[in-house]
């Protein structure tokens, strides 16, 4: 209960700070919107339309009033009804002239789809790899893996992406250069999903390569610690099978520090990657957020930020609860 | 739990491997369904093609197919143009408005006693939308009417139509439900009455350029348009209404504007599928299309618009991820394209001049740029030819006044302009001579300036009617230092080169001049132009020089009000050079007369004023045109008949193109 109250308080403080920050961005959204048609309008017509827009956007009201309307503590200027964030209205995108929810839903779905597969593949590769390297610590293969994975860790993702495109798309022609689906395809159902996955393969591999160094090292280090524990030595002395020692005894002990990372990975399914989305032409959250920032679309930025704020707050709660689940000695209320 | 997790991981891996695997060599086709992959015989692989082109576009498709009415994304507008082409008047290959005989049977203009003008337009019978519904005068009237209702205000339509049509503003404000200047004469005839302010306008005939919009598609079933004699009004189930925002009409409109299929339109192509998730749009030939203004119909069956990326567009072309890529401007990119062609890629390059240019803009109400000799000197201290060659890497030109080489007026005035325009070629001595002649002959102490060792040049502005901000008082005289404040947006390669070739050059330093750069964002630049702070409050002018770009739209060359001295208009941002050249032969009079003192269609009179305007502009030099890019478009060599220029884009050009080797 205390944690839930803490989440609510942090949410409101964050929302207010965020709103103030975005309102401080020096811009005149009404003028920006009309800049393109100004040339074709006579001055009086332009001025009338400009003032109408400013009024409609509520740009001349004090920031506290605007915040209260946006969050839903005060009624909307035009409709006279409470219609803010608390009522489920995430705002209106000036850039797209649509409700923010309508703007966000497609990129968010794309991002989630992409990240689910990336996360699962990454964990499926890095965890066994980390365990294997820990068990074979110091072997030539372990050293080789450490050297290879550090490449992905060190190189910028942008460079990795371009190299992968050149090798796998241009030279080998295994994958398309970019895009999200076969141009002009009319696939439906599973076929459509597989087509989407095929187009996602290369960015997923780039993401995996970039993540190999970090996650596998984390697991390896944790497992090495666990394997040096007294209980492991005792288990081995008792003649327990090596596989059981590693996967049952050592891995359970190694899991505690790793679990934060694993949960973080799953929570990151909502996060877009600006680099990958731009290089591979994916319609995701990273690219949308940058466009919103560049376009001074404060409400769209806020909607995205507030969504991530909620995800982060819930993520912290889930991580704390997960500690208790993995290690019964830990309890959240203690 | 562990078993379930292991199983889940295994399933995901198998699916991923299945999706990623295969020995498919066509990088753009999914590999899992052999039946859907067209494999040409090995021997004749290049002989037979699909009658389809894939267009790569770097701007994102957002799904607003209203032609710029709501938002103005370039890709969205291009799709709109591909599916809407029944305008009564349309822009031709030279960017000039011409009648569309496919659509318009006849039209006339009547000048009324009250100064208004009435355009009566009769369309041809037998025109239909892509869904087979007939097109009548009501559809054309609705395209005007939609911008003259409170609905337009609610959806923030960026259209000035309401102010041009008699009764439009009253209907827009919701005072009446009809537009008194818009009438349905019969099933195929409508009339538009233009308010007096706009009627006596050189380009007034463009108001006769209207396109059909299907009321029921955009607003929903039951909506229509009628006229009982007072003017057109919107109806719902036969009853007159005031069309307002909200409700089912707005919901329908928003659904229609980004319809994934079933988009009702009248153009060479129809939207077969728009997929927001993949940012792709597939269009197929509209079988009901009667042809463009020259009666030409498209022959390429399918167009797919996909996203292109800066970093990988060449790889997309190489691997067949896209076939056509338009608007390549960067020198490195152009060289990449030309190298690909040299290496045997099945491509050809189409080059055309940009209708616009990058420029230095002077703000002439503060500091030294208030004086024409300083503006001239800055121009002569910059080697523009070298600048163009460096910035555009050989793929650019420059102009001496506000025109583009693809404008009709320029083409008709080449000799005149060659004889009458000054090019302000790089000449440090000439720049110094102009400065000296303009009175920039003093040091900060009020002594005679002899060389750069004396510091900055100063001018005695005592008693002159100029803005003296930044001046110093020496011995009872007001001296203005030759220091120009320059504002630029961050990360701007033009600014970087300008800093090297102008601001930090020896030529500027030796001339006793200083150009001080301030870097900020786009909003800061607008603030610098409009003299506003971050909150929109008016502030004192600070900057004398900016760098940005400008473009010319097809057909309309209208710079009226751009040189006004009306304080209200200036405060609104008109006359963003703050150069007040009033009176006979001044920029204000010439720019106004060009469009408001010339009869519509009197091109000779217009051209004469245009030439005077250009010459005067060149004398006063409120801007320095820097570079005019040469644009390139990559087109497959197997596509024939595709030609493009700045006023004739993909949507126009593709109608003339064909794939002879298509199935």
């Amino acid at each position: 209960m205390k944690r839930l109250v803490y989440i609510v308080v942090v949410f409101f403080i964050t929302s207010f700070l965020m709103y103030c920050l975005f309102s401080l961005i020096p811009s005149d959204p009404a003028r920006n919107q009309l800049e393109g048609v100004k040339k074709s309008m006579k001055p009086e017509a332009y001025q009338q339309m400009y003032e109408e827009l400013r009024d409609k956007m509520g740009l001349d009201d004090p920031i506290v009033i605007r915040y209260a309307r946006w969050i839903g503590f005060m009624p909307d200027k035009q409709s006279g009804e409470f219609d803010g964030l608390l009522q489920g209205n995430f705002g209106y995108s000036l850039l797209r002239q649509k409700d923010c929810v309508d703007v966000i839903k497609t990129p968010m779905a794309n991002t989630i789809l992409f990240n689910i597969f990336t996360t699962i593949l990454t964990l499926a590769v890095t965890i066994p790899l980390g365990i294997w390297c820990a068990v074979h610590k110091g072997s030539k293969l372990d050293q080789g893996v450490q050297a290879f994975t550090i490449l992905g860790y060190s190189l910028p993702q942008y460079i990795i992406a371009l190299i992968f495109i050149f090798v796998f798309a241009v030279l080998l022609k295994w994958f398309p250069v970019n895009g999200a689906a076969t141009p002009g395809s009319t696939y439906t159902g599973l076929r459509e999903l597989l087509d989407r996955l095929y187009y996602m393969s290369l960015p997923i591999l780039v993401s995996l390569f970039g993540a190999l160094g970090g996650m596998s090292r984390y697991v390896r280090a944790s497992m090495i610690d666990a394997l040096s524990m007294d209980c492991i030595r005792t288990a081995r002395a008792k003649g327990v099978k090596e596989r059981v020692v590693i996967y049952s005894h050592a891995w359970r002990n190694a899991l505690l520090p790793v679990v934060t990372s694993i949960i973080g990975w799953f929570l990151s399914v909502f996060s877009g990657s600006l680099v990958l989305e731009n290089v591979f032409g994916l319609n995701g959250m990273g690219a949308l957020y940058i466009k919103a920032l560049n376009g001074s679309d404060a409400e769209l930025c806020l909607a995205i930020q507030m969504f991530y704020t909620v995800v982060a707050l819930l993520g912290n709660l889930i991580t704390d609860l997960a500690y208790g689940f993995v290690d019964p000695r830990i309890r959240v209320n203690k | 739990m562990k078993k379930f997790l292991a199983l889940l991981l295994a399933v995901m891996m198998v699916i991923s491997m299945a999706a990623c695997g295969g020995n498919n060599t066509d990088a753009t086709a999914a590999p899992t369904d052999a039946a859907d992959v067209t494999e040409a015989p090995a021997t004749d692989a290049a002989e037979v093609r699909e009658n389809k082109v894939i267009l790569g576009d770097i701007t994102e498709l957002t799904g607003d197919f209203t032609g710029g009415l709501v938002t103005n994304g370039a890709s969205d507008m291009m799709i709109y143009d591909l599916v809407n082409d029944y305008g009564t008047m349309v822009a031709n290959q030279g960017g000039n408005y011409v009648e569309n005989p496919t659509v318009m049977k006849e039209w006339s203009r009547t000048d009324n006693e009250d100064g208004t003008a009435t355009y009566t337009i009769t369309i041809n019978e037998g025109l239909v939308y892509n869904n087979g519904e007939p097109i009548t005068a009501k559809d054309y009237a609705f395209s005007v009417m939609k911008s003259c209702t409170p609905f337009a205000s609610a959806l923030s339509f960026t259209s000035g139509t309401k102010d041009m049509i008699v009764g439009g503003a009253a209907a827009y404000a919701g005072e009446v439900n009809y537009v008194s200047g818009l009438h349905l004469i019969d099933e195929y005839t409508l009339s538009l009455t233009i308010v007096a302010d706009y009627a006596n306008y050189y380009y007034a005939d463009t108001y006769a350029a209207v396109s059909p919009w299907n009321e029921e598609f955009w607003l929903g079933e039951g909506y229509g348009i009628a006229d009982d004699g007072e003017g057109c009004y919107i109806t719902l189930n036969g009853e007159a209404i005031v069309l307002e925002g909200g409700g089912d009409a707005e919901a329908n409109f928003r659904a229609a504007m980004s319809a994934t299929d079933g988009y009702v339109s009248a153009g060479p192509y129809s939207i077969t599928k728009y997929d927001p998730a993949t940012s792709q749009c597939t269009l197929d030939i509209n079988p009901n299309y009667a042809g463009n203004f020259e009666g030409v119909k498209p022959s390429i069956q399918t167009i797919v618009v996909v996203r292109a990326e800066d970093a990988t567009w060449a790889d997309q072309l190489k691997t067949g991820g896209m076939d056509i890529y338009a608007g390549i401007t960067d020198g490195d990119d152009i060289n990449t394209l030309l190298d690909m062609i040299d290496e045997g890629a099945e491509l050809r390059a189409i080059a055309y001049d940009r209708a616009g240019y990058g420029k230095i803009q002077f703000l002439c109400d503060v500091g030294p740029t208030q004086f024409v000799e300083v503006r001239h000197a800055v121009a002569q201290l910059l080697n523009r030819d070298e600048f163009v060659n460096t910035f555009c890497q050989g793929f650019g030109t420059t102009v001496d006044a506000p025109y583009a080489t693809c404008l009709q007026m320029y083409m008709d005035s080449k000799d005149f302009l060659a004889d009458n325009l000054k090019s302000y070629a790089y000449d440090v001595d000439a720049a110094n001579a102009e400065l000296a002649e303009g009175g920039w002959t003093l040091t900060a102490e009020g002594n005679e300036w002899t060389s750069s060792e004396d510091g900055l040049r100063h001018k005695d502005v005592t008693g002159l009617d100029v803005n003296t901000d930044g001046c110093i008082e020496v011995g009872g005289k007001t001296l203005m230092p030759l220091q120009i404040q320059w504002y630029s947006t961050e990360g701007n390669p033009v600014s970087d080169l300008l800093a090297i070739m102008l601001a930090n050059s020896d030529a500027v330093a030796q001339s006793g001049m200083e150009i001080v750069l301030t870097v900020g964002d786009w909003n800061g630049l607008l603030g610098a132009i409009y003299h506003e702070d971050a909150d929109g409050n008016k502030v004192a002018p600070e900057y004398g020089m900016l760098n940005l770009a400008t473009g010319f739209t097809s057909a309309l060359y209208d710079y009226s009000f751009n040189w006004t001295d009306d304080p209200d208009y200036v405060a609104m941002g008109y006359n963003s050079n703050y150069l007040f050249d009033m009176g006979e032969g001044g920029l204000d009079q010439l720019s106004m007369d060009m469009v408001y003192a010339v009869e519509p269609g009197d091109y000779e009179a217009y051209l004469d004023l245009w030439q005077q305007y250009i010459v005067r502009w060149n004398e006063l030099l409120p801007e320095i045109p820097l570079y005019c890019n040469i644009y390139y478009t990559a087109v497959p060599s197997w596509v024939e008949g595709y030609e493009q220029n700045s006023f004739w884009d993909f949507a126009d050009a593709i109608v003339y193109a064909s794939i002879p080797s298509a199935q």
Side-chain angles (χ1 to χ4, degrees), chain A residues 66-324:
Chain A
R66 281 189 278 155
Y67 170 77
R69 282 197 194 113
W70 171 76
I71 198 79
F73 289 154
M74 277 181 72
D76 182 64
K77 196 172 182 181
Q78 287 183 311
S79 65
E81 292 172 7
F82 289 90
D83 186 24
L85 192 64
L86 297 176
Q87 288 80 30
N89 180 1
F90 277 73
Y92 190 74
S93 165
L94 293 175
L95 207 61
R96 300 281 178 84
Q97 293 292 316
K98 284 181 186 171
D99 287 336
C100 290
V101 170
D102 292 334
V103 176
I104 290 170
K105 63 185 179 188
T106 300
M108 182 60 84
N110 282 345
T111 293
I112 291 172
L113 183 69
F114 175 77
N115 284 334
I116 281 177
F117 285 101
T118 303
T119 302
I120 290 172
L121 190 65
T122 302
L123 295 180
V125 171
T126 54
I127 291 176
L129 188 67
I131 295 173
W132 190 89
C133 287
V135 173
H136 299 88
K137 185 181 76 166
S139 69
K140 284 192 175 169
L141 211 51
D142 173 43
Q143 288 172 356
V145 168
Q146 299 311 308
F148 176 72
T149 55
I150 200 74
L151 272 178
Y153 196 67
S154 319
L155 284 172
Q157 206 173 36
Y158 182 74
I159 302 296
I160 299 172
L162 291 183
I163 292 170
F164 272 49
I165 287 172
F166 180 70
V167 174
F168 295 110
V170 179
L171 287 183
L172 300 173
K173 296 189 191 300
W174 288 355
F175 301 108
V177 172
N178 64 5
T182 302
S185 64
T186 52
Y187 306 137
T188 53
L190 181 63
R191 184 64 212 278
E192 186 186 15
L193 178 66
L194 291 176
D195 186 50
R196 295 285 304 278
L197 278 174
Y198 173 59
Y199 270 77
M200 273 183 199
S201 301
L202 201 50
I204 286 176
L205 287 178
V206 171
S207 199
L208 169 66
F209 186 66
L212 276 179
M215 193 64 190
S216 65
R217 272 178 168 65
Y218 205 59
V219 173
R220 181 178 177 272
S222 189
M223 271 298 282
I224 287 171
D225 285 346
L227 286 168
S228 64
M229 292 168 79
D230 291 343
C231 61
I232 301 296
R233 197 178 303 118
T234 307
R236 280 177 174 151
K238 281 166 64 182
V240 178
K241 283 183 183 172
E242 187 63 13
R243 179 180 291 182
V244 177
V245 170
I246 294 167
Y247 292 105
S248 183
H249 295 269
W251 176 235
R252 283 208 70 167
N253 281 298
L255 197 58
L256 191 59
V258 173
V259 76
T260 319
S261 228
I262 293 177
I263 291 169
W265 268 91
F266 276 101
L267 289 174
S268 71
V269 295
F270 300 105
S271 308
S273 164
L274 176 65
V275 173
L276 288 183
E277 285 167 17
N278 276 345
V279 173
F280 289 100
L282 303 173
N283 180 15
M285 288 303 292
L288 178 69
Y289 189 44
I290 288 296
K291 273 182 207 128
L293 283 172
N294 287 337
S296 301
D297 192 343
E299 290 209 13
L300 183 55
C301 291
L302 275 168
I304 296 171
Q305 279 290 2
M306 290 318 299
F307 178 77
Y308 287 138
T309 302
V310 172
V311 168
L313 290 171
L314 291 177
N316 281 341
L317 184 66
I318 292 168
T319 306
D320 289 348
L321 293 173
Y323 275 134

Side-chain angles (χ1 to χ4, degrees), chain B residues 508-542:
Chain B
V508 166
Q510 284 165 11
S511 301
M513 182 186 287
E514 187 181 17
I515 299 175
V516 182
L517 172 62
T518 300
V519 175
D521 62 10
W522 175 251
N523 288 307
L525 184 81
L526 289 178
I529 295 174
Y530 299 135
H531 299 344
E532 287 176 2
D533 65 12
D535 298 322
N537 304 312
K538 287 290 173 190
V539 292
E542 186 178 355

Side-chain angles (χ1 to χ4, degrees), chain A residues 23-68:
Chain A
S23 299
L24 286 174
I25 295 173
S27 71
D28 183 345
R31 187 176 62 192
N32 290 354
Q33 193 172 327
L34 291 179
E35 198 62 22
V37 291
K38 187 175 182 180
K39 220 179 214 178
S40 64
M41 299 170 81
K42 284 201 170 180
E44 296 89 347
Y46 167 79
Q47 186 66 9
Q48 187 197 348
M49 195 171 269
Y50 172 76
E51 281 166 9
E52 259 179 35
L53 260 182
R54 275 196 75 85
D55 183 55
K56 194 173 163 189
M57 293 173 179
L59 297 176
D60 297 321
D61 295 326
I63 195 165
V64 177
I65 302 289
R66 281 189 278 155
Y67 170 77

Side-chain angles (χ1 to χ4, degrees), chain B residues 373 376-378 380-381 427-441 449-452 457 482 506-513:
Chain B
E373 65 271 8
H376 286 178
V378 173
Q380 290 171 110
L381 291 172
D427 189 337
V428 180
D429 292 338
N432 275 282
E434 282 234 30
L435 290 172
E437 210 170 295
W440 297 88
T441 54
W449 186 92
T450 53
S451 72
S452 57
R457 286 176 183 267
L482 189 50
D506 289 342
V508 166
Q510 284 165 11
S511 301
M513 182 186 287

Side-chain angles (χ1 to χ4, degrees), chain B residues 467-485:
Chain B
N467 183 342
T468 55
D469 287 356
C471 291
I472 54 174
E473 297 291 330
V474 178
K477 290 180 180 174
T478 306
L479 301 185
M480 180 180 285
L482 189 50
Q483 184 187 62
I484 301 170
Q485 297 296 329

Side-chain angles (χ1 to χ4, degrees), chain B residues 22-183:
Chain B
N23 55 358
N24 176 48
T25 54
D26 180 354
T28 63
T32 48
D33 189 347
D36 287 347
V37 178
T38 306
E39 288 190 17
T43 50
D44 287 320
E47 296 294 320
V48 181
R49 296 181 182 279
E50 261 191 287
N51 197 6
K52 173 176 113 174
V53 292
I54 303 171
L55 171 74
D57 201 316
I58 206 142
T59 53
E60 186 194 6
L61 271 176
T62 67
D64 167 12
F65 305 132
T66 58
L69 199 61
V70 180
T71 61
N72 59 357
S75 298
D76 296 330
M77 300 236 285
M78 191 262 298
I79 300 281
Y80 176 85
D81 290 341
L82 276 167
V83 299
N84 290 281
D85 186 46
Y86 273 178
T88 51
M89 299 185 89
V90 292
N92 66 7
Q93 289 88 336
N96 301 308
Y97 267 80
V98 293
E99 294 170 30
N100 185 353
T102 305
V103 168
M104 193 157 62
K105 190 175 178 184
E106 58 188 13
W107 70 289
S108 64
R109 172 183 162 123
T110 307
D111 289 315
N112 305 315
E113 285 181 2
D114 58 359
T116 61
T118 300
Y119 287 89
T120 305
I121 301 161
T122 303
I123 61 164
N124 291 320
E125 294 180 30
L127 298 172
V128 293
Y129 285 108
N130 57 349
N131 65 355
E133 282 184 44
I135 296 173
T136 67
K138 284 184 177 180
D139 299 293
Y140 285 86
F142 175 64
S143 75
V144 177
M145 186 78 204
K146 71 182 186 304
S147 298
C148 303
T149 58
F151 185 77
S153 171
L155 274 81
S156 302
F157 284 177
T158 49
S159 165
T161 304
K162 67 177 172 51
D163 299 303
M164 297 168 188
I165 306 286
V166 170
Y172 179 83
E175 293 164 11
V176 291
N177 66 356
Y178 59 88
V179 178
S180 54
L182 180 64
H183 289 279

